[in-house]
Amino acid sequence: AVVSTQSGHYGRACYICDVSCKTRHELAAHTTKEHCGDSSLVCGICSARLKDVSSVRRHIRTVHNQIKQFMCSYCNKRYKHKFDLEKHFRKIHKKEKSTDCDSALIPLL
C-alpha cells in the first residue's frame, strides 16, 4: 500500500507490521529480512503463525476482513474459499448444470 510518511513523502507500507519504506525494493528487502526465514510468520492482529507472506495475506483477507471473493455464477452466493464454492456447486447445482447440458445436446431438426 502506498502511504504518506511523517516527512510528507510517499512510500510503501509493510502489510504485516506497517513499517514505511521509500521504494518497493526497500519494502521487499524489509519483508525478506524481518518476516521471512526459518520461523513462520505471525499475524499482527491475532498472532496466528503462518508459513509465508501469501498465507498471511490470505489469512488477513479471509479471517479478519471476511472477504468472500468466490461467487457462484448460478445463485450469486459468495464464499471465502474456492473449495467451498466448488463444494456448493457440486451439492446444489450439479443436477441443474447436467440437465442444462443434456438439453443443450438435443439436436434441433
Side-chain angles (χ1 to χ4, degrees):
V2 178
V3 296
S4 177
T5 62
Q6 289 178 344
S7 63
H9 295 89
Y10 286 92
R12 306 237 172 228
C14 175
Y15 63 92
I16 298 171
C17 68
D18 287 331
V19 164
S20 292
C21 299
K22 292 178 184 176
T23 66
R24 276 191 268 180
H25 185 299
E26 286 180 14
L27 180 59
H30 160 79
T31 304
T32 301
K33 180 180 175 188
E34 299 298 326
H35 304 298
C36 294
D38 296 333
S39 63
S40 60
L41 301 176
V42 177
C43 172
I45 299 169
C46 71
S47 300
R49 298 189 75 74
L50 301 138
K51 65 179 181 171
D52 55 31
V53 173
S54 65
S55 296
V56 172
R57 285 185 186 141
R58 183 174 46 254
H59 167 78
I60 291 171
R61 185 178 67 239
T62 59
V63 174
H64 300 297
N65 296 340
Q66 296 294 313
I67 294 174
K68 296 179 178 181
Q69 66 180 9
F70 299 99
M71 185 175 78
C72 176
S73 59
Y74 279 82
C75 67
N76 295 332
K77 189 164 182 168
R78 299 179 77 86
Y79 294 89
K80 290 191 284 184
H81 303 284
K82 185 178 179 181
F83 64 85
D84 288 329
L85 171 61
E86 291 168 346
K87 184 171 69 174
H88 159 80
F89 183 81
R90 284 192 307 272
K91 184 177 178 183
I92 304 298
H93 301 297
K94 187 173 183 177
K95 292 178 185 175
E96 292 174 17
K97 184 177 180 188
S98 63
T99 302
D100 292 343
C101 292
D102 291 342
S103 63
L105 296 176
I106 298 172
L108 300 173
L109 297 177

